Every structure is written in structure tokens, then in C-alpha cells.
């Protein structure tokens, strides 16, 4: 299966979770699970032997940097960390020119930046695969890890309900696009004015094919009978100046034990981290029996290994 899937993916960009089908998502996760099991057995893989990944960071990162760097090492390749401030990008070189030069040196580019338009421009100019490591619009690698964690915990996607509670941000966007592709229902609850972008909601509903896509303002209604509850920080990077005001507005949207009582008794809780404990999530939830947050963080490594092995 790997060989045929690699033929299908080789050289492709991964800019949005909407770029792949539900079938392809499931196949990537199957490979990620095989790589995870192999890692625990102590087996070594050299699927990226001799390959180099350039990693451009315009935003700080813990999990994205470490997981991609370790993934390349474990696959026999090499990851090159590039702080945007140290590149000529920081001195006015266009992102397209950067893409053209990097394409002569390395086999793939992962970029974590502010604007989805920059990632698209990079991919259009590059002759090698470009991976979206996070933008203001989407966080597709995070959602691959979330889906892998859900599959590990529940054994299926079909018929499950996932609830997003909090800001309608980039992670929410990717979850909205992914859930109907794997036949999960999704309910999003945000304060009024903080809903996901209408373009994303429309795309999610178009992909629904029988799954339910809801955008609400009531967290209790979103979480009701949910199998999976997901949240993220209330003020993302670049929104620090809004933090105090956002805490006031988002307070009723905290995921705590009281809110989780409206979900299914065996529901699981996910958070992409870092978590602001006492704000979007209570200790009793992130440290409680429903939490799969640490599995989710680990799975960033395994899904990215699968992605790198396929596209490079």
C-alpha cells in the first residue's frame, strides 16, 4: 500500500487539510500508526535517507519544530532549522525568490508563518513539496495528529461527533474541513463575533455528504452527546494585546468538568497545546481521565513522519 500511496503523494504540497480526501487522510494515518508501532518495536526506517527538509519559522514553536526535526532524523534524513529573521526574508527578499533558491538545495520545505497567502506563494514558486506547519488560516498537521488520536481512542470516525469550543481560529478551520471528510459530525461553539470564517464553514458543509456541520454560540449545545471535545487558547500568537478582553469574553467557554458532563460518558478531550490552564481548560479536564492530550502531542511526530515519507 505504501508504494502506491507514495506514488500518489510524491511531490505534492500539503497546504490545507482540504487538499486531501477522506480516503487519503485515513491512508496517511494508517501509515503513521505503522511507523508508531515500528518505533516502539525499535525498528528503523530510512524512508527519507539522503533527503533534507528546510524548516522556516516565522513564529516560535515547540511541538512543530521538535516533531519535524525528530521525524526527519528517525527517517534517515536531515532537517534544517531556518529562523526567518536570519534569512534574507527578514531583509526584504521575496518569499518566491526564497522558494526558488531553497528548491535548488533541499528536497522539501516546511513553513510555520502568519499568512496562508505566503505559504501559497512559496508553494507556487517552489519546485519541491511545501508543507504548511501553521498559518493564520489553517493548521493541517495538527489535525492529522488529532484524527490519529481519535482513531486510536475510538476505533472509527464514522458516526462520531466532535465538538470544538472556543475561538474559531486556524485549528478550528482545519478541524472543520477534516471532520466531514472522515464522516464525523462537528459542532463548533464560539462567542458571537469569533466564529470560523464563512468560507471555511461553507467548504465544510459542501464536503459533509451526510455528516452534520453546525456553528453555534452555545457551548453546552455543541458538547451535548459529543464523543470528542476540542479546544485551544483564547488568544493565539499575535493576539496578545487582546488577551484580557478575550479572557472576559471567552470565560463561559471554558472546558471544565461541568461542561464535559453534557458530552458522552466516554468522551475524550484534545488540545493542541500550549494550554493556558484555568482559562480555556480546567486542570480537572486536561489532567483527567478523558484527556488524550499527551497522545495527541506524540502523534504529531508519527503523522508528520508519514507525510514526509509520502511527499519527499
Amino acid at each position: 500500500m505504501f508504494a502506491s500511496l507514495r506514488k500518489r503523494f510524491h511531490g505534492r504540497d500539503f497546504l490545507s487539510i482540504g487538499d486531501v480526501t477522506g480516503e487519503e487522510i485515513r491512508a496517511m494515518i494508517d501509515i503513521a500508526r505503522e511507523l508508531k508501532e515500528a518505533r516502539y518495536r525499535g525498528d528503523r526506517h530510512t524512508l527519507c535517507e539522503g533527503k533534507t527538509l528546510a524548516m522556516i519559522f516565522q513564529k516560535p514553536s515547540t511541538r512543530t519544530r521538535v516533531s519535524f526535526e525528530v521525524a526527519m532524523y528517525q527517517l534517515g534524513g536531515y532537517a534544517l532549522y531556518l529562523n526567518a529573521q536570519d534569512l534574507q526574508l527578514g531583509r526584504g527578499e521575496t518569499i518566491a525568490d526564497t522558494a526558488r533558491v531553497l528548491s535548488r538545495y533541499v528536497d522539501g520545505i516546511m513553513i510555520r508563518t502568519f499568512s496562508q497567502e505566503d505559504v501559497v506563494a512559496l508553494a507556487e514558486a517552489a519546485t519541491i513539496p511545501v508543507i504548511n506547519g501553521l498559518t493564520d488560516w489553517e493548521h493541517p498537521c495538527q489535525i492529522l495528529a488529532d484524527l490519529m488520536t481519535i482513531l486510536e481512542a475510538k476505533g472509527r470516525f464514522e458516526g462520531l461527533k466532535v465538538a470544538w469550543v472556543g475561538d474559531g481560529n486556524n485549528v478550528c478551520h482545519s478541524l472543520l474541513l477534516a471532520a466531514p471528510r472522515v464522516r464525523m459530525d462537528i459542532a463548533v461553539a464560539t462567542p458571537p463575533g469569533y466564529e470560523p470564517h464563512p468560507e471555511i464553514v461553507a467548504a465544510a458543509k459542501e464536503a459533509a455528504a451526510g455528516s452534520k456541520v453546525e456553528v453555534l454560540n452555545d457551548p453546552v449545545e455543541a458538547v451535548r452527546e459529543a464523543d470528542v471535545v476540542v479546544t485551544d487558547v483564547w488568544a493565539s500568537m499575535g493576539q496578545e494585546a487582546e488577551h484580557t478582553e478575550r479572557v472576559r469574553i471567552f470565560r463561559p467557554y471554558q472546558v471544565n468538568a461541568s461542561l464535559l458532563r453534557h458530552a458522552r460518558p466516554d468522551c475524550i478531550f484534545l488540545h493542541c497545546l500550549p494550554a493556558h490552564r484555568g482559562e480555556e481548560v480546567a486542570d480537572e479536564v486536561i489532567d483527567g481521565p478523558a484527556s488524550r492530550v499527551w497522545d495527541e502531542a506524540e502523534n504529531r511526530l508519527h503523522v508528520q513522519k508519514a507525510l514526509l515519507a509520502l511527499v519527499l
Side-chain angles (χ1 to χ4, degrees), residues 119-278:
V119 176
V120 172
L122 187 77
E124 286 176 348
T127 56
I128 53 178
V130 172
I131 296 170
N132 178 356
L134 177 141
T135 67
D136 58 351
W137 190 249
E138 272 205 62
H139 199 353
C141 293
Q142 178 63 54
I143 294 308
L144 283 180
D146 290 10
L147 294 178
M148 179 174 173
T149 309
I150 292 168
L151 194 59
E152 287 176 336
K154 298 295 182 183
R156 71 185 200 285
F157 294 126
E158 295 80 3
L160 297 180
K161 176 184 177 181
V162 57
W164 174 274
V165 180
D167 191 17
N169 63 10
N170 49 358
V171 186
C172 175
H173 282 178
S174 290
L175 187 61
L176 263 168
L177 293 173
R181 281 177 162 71
V182 295
R183 300 186 181 179
M184 286 194 298
D185 295 338
I186 181 167
V188 172
T190 74
Y194 293 88
E195 292 89 352
H197 195 284
E199 183 181 322
I200 292 286
V201 176
K205 288 183 175 178
E206 186 178 343
S211 298
K212 189 181 290 185
V213 176
E214 297 178 289
V215 178
L216 313 164
N217 298 123
D218 183 349
V220 171
E221 195 56 37
V223 165
R224 194 180 305 283
E225 297 298 310
D227 301 280
V228 184
V229 176
V230 192
T231 191
D232 190 8
V233 294
W234 291 336
S236 298
M237 280 179 285
Q239 297 171 333
E240 289 80 2
E242 304 173 30
H243 182 258
T244 302
E245 179 66 1
R246 280 177 169 259
V247 168
R248 184 186 67 77
I249 293 169
F250 281 81
R251 181 61 66 188
Y253 294 81
Q254 183 187 74
V255 178
N256 50 37
S258 176
L259 183 63
L260 273 198
R261 276 196 281 274
H262 297 281
R264 290 188 181 276
D266 61 347
C267 92
I268 63 169
F269 170 74
L270 301 179
H271 189 306
C272 60
L273 302 175
H276 289 187
R277 292 165 176 258

Side-chain angles (χ1 to χ4, degrees), residues 7-25:
K7 190 174 180 181
R8 189 166 167 177
F9 271 91
H10 184 63
R12 275 173 64 174
D13 300 317
F14 185 63
L15 310 185
S16 164
I17 198 74
D19 292 343
V20 290
T21 66
E23 178 192 358
E24 289 172 333
I25 290 172

